Amino acid sequence: MTQREVFLYFQDGNDDAYCYPLSRFIGFRHGADTTLLMQFKPLTDDASNIDTVTLTLASNKEKDAMNDIVNLINSGPHTVGVITIADNVNQVYASTHITDVSSTLDT
């Protein structure tokens, strides 16, 4: 059986949504007491840049949010192939510690 690609979904506004293949996820990075950065290989394949999704969190909850996201990703199989990490429009978040999402995209 062929394994399907899993995608991570983010929406930070009514007209601003993006979806990354899990295989492009590089890792997490602490941004500040209330921010966690998720970094991805850019969809343009420009090796000199990375795309960054910024998750705003409750203060000092970076590790808890990382655990929640990793547990959600690892809880498969995912029947729809898309995992919502942060959706501001519908107020759906992979962790109760996430309160907002924004991005800096190379693409």
Side-chain angles (χ1 to χ4, degrees):
M1 177 190 285
T2 304
Q3 177 122 4
R4 293 182 314 160
E5 179 85 61
V6 173
F7 289 82
L8 304 180
Y9 176 79
F10 306 88
Q11 183 169 13
D12 63 4
N14 283 328
D15 296 319
D16 202 3
Y18 27 100
C19 198
Y20 279 90
L22 179 58
S23 61
R24 290 197 171 263
F25 179 56
I26 298 169
F28 295 103
R29 188 165 62 87
H30 176 259
D33 285 343
T34 60
T35 57
L36 179 64
L37 308 176
M38 292 184 73
Q39 298 184 309
F40 295 87
K41 296 176 197 171
L43 297 176
T44 60
D45 286 324
D46 179 352
S48 65
N49 290 308
I50 57 172
D51 290 350
T52 301
V53 175
T54 302
L55 302 173
T56 303
L57 310 172
S59 186
N60 296 312
K61 291 297 183 178
E62 298 85 5
K63 184 175 181 183
D64 293 335
M66 284 187 268
N67 280 331
D68 291 343
I69 293 167
V70 169
N71 286 335
L72 179 62
I73 290 169
N74 290 335
S75 70
H78 301 284
T79 57
V80 295
V82 176
I83 302 169
T84 299
I85 302 300
D87 179 345
N88 284 349
V89 173
N90 296 297
Q91 298 291 294
V92 175
Y93 303 102
S95 171
T96 58
H97 305 295
I98 300 171
T99 60
D100 193 25
V101 61
S102 63
S103 66
T104 304
L105 307 178
D106 175 50
T107 54

